[in-house]
Amino acid sequence: MAARATDLTKVYGQGETRVVALDGVSTEFRKGEFTAIMGPSGSGKSTLMHCMAGLDAVTAGSARIGDTELSALRDKQLTRLRRDKVGFVFQAFNLLPTLTAAENITLPLDIAGRKADEAWLEKVIKTVGLADRLSHRPAELSGGQQQRVAVARALAARPEIIFADEPTGNLDSRSGAEILGFLRNSVRELGQTVVMVTHDPVAASYADRVIFLADGRIVDELRSPTAEAVLERMRRFPSTVHS
Ligand code: ADP
């Protein structure tokens, strides 16, 4: 088990501004599995990801990464857990402009004072097809290539789990398909665990399973999804259609 949510509840604000963002969510993210999270705007996708990644504290219930209960950790321990066990890929690539691709990829390891596992790093760089771009700076790379650097950076530390928040949101469809292919390869060939928030049925079809959120609850789940099946589910549960 890479991660698990049990009865996860997250409430923001109080009184009139109280919002139940997650309402008793239970699900497992198995090792070497690629999960897509879908649902309309405001259904709790980001909150679920943030709570699972230790970026946001839960109100009730439990979020675990591996054997670690996140609510039991102090801030410092949480920071360390995020650094050592969690990889992030965002819609904005978040690369440092003054560093080369290679330096961006190893930056989290360098900050942690960890040595890169060279064999692993080589494999990651090969998987994302960046071998001939390593000395380039972000401005000299296309959007797709920059996102590949961000994916390689997330993979470099061999995290327990990678959270990707609409990783193809800023890419044209060809670069998007490439990134999704790399994420899937990292699951298939490198055994990584990936959780991705997306609005796109085609993107979701790269995953091993899709969970559908509505009003802070999981309302459906689909295994080995095709884009057509995802669309069909979105229609069957109109509340999960993104507006
Ligand atoms: P999604 O990612 O599916 O669009 P979110 O997880 O961002 O949904 O939001 C779920 C609900 O929680 C929404 O109603 C949103 O307005 C609310 N929410 C999210 N973050 C905060 C916050 N920091 N403070 C108050 N309400 C929030």
Side-chain angles (χ1 to χ4, degrees):
M1 190 61 47
R4 185 199 300 264
T6 311
D7 244 338
L8 189 58
T9 297
K10 175 70 187 181
V11 178
Y12 289 110
Q14 33 184 291
E16 279 183 12
T17 61
R18 187 172 183 271
V19 176
V20 181
L22 293 177
D23 190 4
V25 167
S26 296
T27 191
E28 296 178 350
F29 302 100
R30 290 189 211 144
K31 279 201 167 114
E33 192 171 64
F34 186 178
T35 302
I37 303 177
M38 297 192 85
S41 190
S43 60
K45 302 181 297 293
S46 309
T47 304
L48 178 58
M49 191 149 81
H50 291 164
C51 287
M52 291 311 300
L55 291 167
D56 213 342
V58 312
T59 307
S62 134
R64 280 171 171 262
I65 292 191
D67 296 328
T68 308
E69 173 60 51
L70 301 188
S71 61
L73 301 182
R74 293 162 188 277
D75 279 354
K76 248 191 183 159
Q77 296 169 305
L78 254 185
T79 303
R80 198 178 314 139
L81 174 123
R82 276 199 302 269
R83 197 184 68 193
D84 295 341
K85 302 222 161 150
V86 183
F88 294 98
V89 181
F90 301 99
Q91 190 169 346
F93 317 126
N94 293 326
L95 302 178
L96 287 187
T98 56
L99 300 184
T100 64
E103 289 163 346
N104 266 291
I105 292 169
T106 55
L107 182 66
L109 289 168
D110 294 340
I111 290 173
R114 278 169 63 188
K115 259 199 76 61
D117 173 342
E118 290 298 336
W120 170 256
L121 210 54
E122 215 171 286
K123 218 168 162 179
V124 165
I125 286 164
K126 219 168 130 194
T127 306
V128 297
L130 281 169
D132 58 349
R133 292 284 185 281
L134 289 177
S135 58
H136 289 57
R137 288 178 214 289
E140 301 159 351
L141 299 170
S142 71
Q145 288 167 337
Q146 290 184 53
Q147 192 61 311
R148 283 197 244 162
V149 173
V151 170
R153 178 183 56 188
L155 287 164
R158 221 173 182 158
E160 179 94 18
I161 189 161
I162 289 178
F163 292 100
D165 196 353
E166 301 212 40
T168 58
N170 278 333
L171 301 177
D172 59 70
S173 61
R174 212 188 98 221
S175 306
E178 254 172 34
I179 289 297
L180 292 162
F182 293 135
L183 285 173
R184 188 167 59 187
N185 280 353
S186 78
V187 172
R188 295 275 180 289
E189 287 160 33
L190 308 175
Q192 276 295 326
T193 308
V194 177
V195 178
M196 168 179 76
V197 167
T198 184
H199 292 116
D200 176 5
V202 174
S205 72
Y206 282 77
D208 297 309
R209 68 166 185 148
V210 185
I211 56 180
F212 295 89
L213 284 179
D215 297 329
R217 296 199 184 124
I218 295 181
V219 291
D220 202 4
E221 179 168 338
L222 199 57
R223 291 214 155 258
S224 308
T226 60
E228 293 73 30
V230 172
L231 257 178
E232 198 263 323
R233 289 296 165 111
M234 289 166 84
R235 286 199 196 101
R236 198 180 322 162
F237 293 93
S239 63
T240 63
V241 176
H242 185 66
S243 47

